[in-house]
Amino acid sequence: MEPTGKLSLLGESCCSPERMLAYARRRNPQAPDNAEAFFRLGNKYGIRGDVAYCQATYDTRGWTSELSGPSWAAFVRKDWEDEAAIESRVRLLYAFAMEFGLPEGNDPTERRALAFLEKSGWRGQAPCWEDLNGKWSHSGNLRYGQYVVAMWRSMLEWRGSGDAR
């Protein structure tokens, strides 16, 4: 938590991949087995992988529908088993949080999305999840970040257990 009470995009995951997947599968037994990729790629880029997982869960309505999101983020692939799609998403979150330091990727659609962030003035302007309000959401949802953080807090407090696989 930042002094403002907001949750930073940057940091380590608090939940294990097993817990993340078990949390999603409690409501959707068909949720894709991709929590490990969010965890690992979050660590690679310094992004909270468990919160990024909650964001993707929120954006797909619990992994029951296609990804929702802004048109400028259309580069995000819909195959959630594809590690490259997850990495593109994490890299975009990094670009929201940090103004510099992201090596250029190979995906031309990802480069277009990053160019949009530069042009819009959003690059490095959303260091916290709540700062994504009105930027990430396709409808300009002004509580978007709060919804994602609320899901993450629910996952932290969840008393469930068991094998996630």
Side-chain angles (χ1 to χ4, degrees):
M1 297 294 280
E2 297 290 310
T4 60
K6 295 179 181 178
L7 183 66
S8 175
L9 281 165
L10 304 173
E12 295 182 11
S13 295
C14 294
C15 293
S16 70
E18 294 79 19
R19 182 173 188 79
M20 292 159 42
L21 184 60
Y23 182 78
R25 287 195 171 164
R26 83 198 194 293
R27 294 239 168 97
N28 178 5
Q30 304 305 314
D33 188 1
N34 57 9
E36 172 64 36
F38 275 93
F39 184 85
R40 188 171 21 79
L41 292 166
N43 285 341
K44 177 180 177 180
Y45 290 98
I47 296 293
R48 294 175 183 267
D50 53 353
V51 187
Y53 181 81
C54 287
Q55 181 196 32
T57 302
Y58 179 79
D59 286 349
T60 59
R61 292 171 180 75
W63 308 104
T64 62
S65 66
E66 286 194 6
L67 177 73
S68 64
S71 60
W72 58 263
F75 77 89
V76 179
R77 297 175 190 97
K78 295 184 178 19
D79 180 4
W80 288 107
E81 300 287 342
D82 179 19
E83 191 164 313
I86 296 167
E87 186 166 14
S88 288
R89 187 176 185 92
V90 170
R91 288 171 57 85
L92 184 58
L93 289 167
Y94 180 93
F96 264 108
M98 303 293 290
E99 195 167 342
F100 303 104
L102 184 65
E104 188 171 318
N106 296 324
D107 187 333
T109 51
E110 178 183 334
R111 287 196 302 271
R112 284 193 300 274
L114 291 172
F116 176 84
L117 288 185
E118 295 280 348
K119 183 179 174 185
S120 69
W122 292 349
R123 177 78 191 251
Q125 298 303 305
C128 297
W129 290 95
E130 296 87 347
D131 297 329
L132 294 175
N133 295 349
K135 295 176 180 74
W136 191 283
S137 173
H138 63 86
S139 62
N141 184 337
L142 298 179
R143 303 269 315 147
Y144 177 81
Q146 284 84 346
Y147 294 140
V148 171
V149 171
M151 181 183 288
W152 173 74
R153 284 191 174 124
S154 177
M155 184 170 65
L156 283 175
E157 296 169 0
W158 180 55
R159 296 189 189 275
S161 62
D163 189 6
R165 299 181 199 268

